[in-house]
Amino acid sequence: MKRFLVAIDGPAGAGKSTVARQVAERLGLTYVDTGAMYRALAWKALRDGVDMEDEEAVAHLAESITFTLEPNGIRVNGIPLKDEIRTPQVSELASAVATMPKVRKILVNKQQEIAASQSVVMDGRDIGTHVLPNADVKIFLTASIDERARRRYKELTAKGIPADLEALQEQIRRRDENDRNRAYAPLRQAEDAILVDTTNQSVQEVIEVILQHCRNKL
Ligand code: C5P
């Protein structure tokens, strides 16, 4: 059977992972969370004491480790990682290593290898523009900054983690700016991507919209 490739891009907090994971499940495809790869790399570099400003050293680490993507997480050299890659420190470091062209080339290669042998729903920032330019369906998922901050606030407080709405808005604004303005592979909507604004839509509504676009191409 021909491979079927779905690319879902968008800014931080637009709900990509939740939506992409469920779309993959409904279509019986493999879900690939590329953000988790940048996060896992940052976590490993931190643990191994690798100098995060040394692009060569981080790239060397990226090349030498094995990432295993699973439906609900990621393994690095066999070690399962979950909440430890979602801390503010790792988020910040992931965003920094993601600006390094040598690191991106290595991770993009690994992402393309995963998609070379199977059908996938892959989410990230550069999937439709860079990693899978020939994807069958490209979605650009977005929501207003206020709404993304509100969702993050709910997520944190539900876990009992104290949060400040204004500080979250500021963080999201900063991450957007980093992702959109970096010199290499910045976040942007691919010309042939479908824009889905989730500000006033429930997760289930967004999933149905994306599934419909997929079914039109299947
Ligand atoms: O999506 P998530 O927030 O988990 O991604 C972590 C970081 O990795 C982001 O801050 C983003 O800068 C970076 N990233 C990227 N390209 C991707 C996926 C994530 O630059 N394809």
Side-chain angles (χ1 to χ4, degrees):
M1 202 184 91
K2 189 189 163 292
R3 280 174 310 139
F4 190 71
L5 305 177
V6 182
I8 303 185
D9 290 299
K16 293 187 300 290
S17 331
T18 311
V19 164
R21 182 176 289 113
Q22 291 191 47
V23 167
E25 205 177 294
R26 294 273 293 271
L27 295 173
L29 311 183
T30 300
Y31 168 53
V32 184
D33 176 356
T34 63
M37 295 173 76
Y38 289 93
R39 288 172 179 275
L41 172 63
W43 175 86
K44 178 85 171 118
L46 189 66
R47 211 179 79 146
D48 291 1
V50 171
D51 178 0
M52 299 280 186
E53 309 225 319
D54 183 345
E55 183 167 349
E56 288 295 337
V58 181
H60 182 261
L61 177 68
E63 198 139 55
S64 68
I65 58 185
T66 307
F67 298 95
T68 316
L69 276 302
E70 295 173 338
N72 288 311
I74 186 167
R75 285 173 189 261
V76 161
N77 294 346
I79 304 170
L81 301 176
K82 276 201 88 84
D83 291 347
E84 56 270 65
I85 61 167
R86 307 279 159 200
T87 65
Q89 186 189 21
V90 172
S91 302
E92 197 91 355
L93 291 171
S95 201
V97 301
T99 62
M100 298 173 167
K102 286 186 182 160
V103 170
R104 295 199 73 86
K105 278 196 187 114
I106 292 161
L107 292 197
V108 166
N109 259 330
K110 290 185 190 262
Q111 291 152 11
Q112 288 171 335
E113 266 170 32
I114 296 171
S117 58
Q118 58 191 324
S119 296
V120 298
V121 177
M122 191 177 280
D123 79 9
R125 304 290 190 287
D126 59 341
I127 311 306
T129 52
H130 224 79
V131 183
L132 304 176
N134 298 320
D136 299 278
V137 176
K138 295 183 187 179
I139 304 288
F140 194 83
L141 211 61
T142 185
S144 69
I145 288 181
D146 285 359
E147 174 63 18
R148 286 187 277 142
R150 258 197 306 275
R151 288 177 191 167
R152 184 85 186 118
Y153 179 85
K154 267 173 72 178
E155 219 176 274
L156 290 171
T157 48
K159 285 187 194 162
I161 304 169
D164 178 87
L165 193 59
E166 271 183 35
L168 287 173
Q169 286 171 343
E170 192 42 46
Q171 262 172 35
I172 288 181
R173 206 167 281 124
R174 222 183 28 239
R175 273 179 79 187
D176 274 8
E177 227 177 83
N178 273 347
D179 283 346
R180 286 181 199 279
N181 296 326
R182 69 175 169 230
Y184 187 73
L187 169 69
R188 64 179 175 79
Q189 185 180 341
E191 269 172 30
D192 50 352
I194 301 155
L195 179 69
V196 178
D197 186 335
T198 72
T199 306
N200 296 309
Q201 281 185 299
S202 71
V203 170
Q204 282 317 313
E205 283 170 331
V206 174
I207 290 169
E208 288 306 325
V209 167
I210 297 176
L211 283 173
Q212 199 47 53
H213 286 297
C214 292
R215 290 189 187 113
N216 292 343
K217 293 284 181 87
L218 270 167

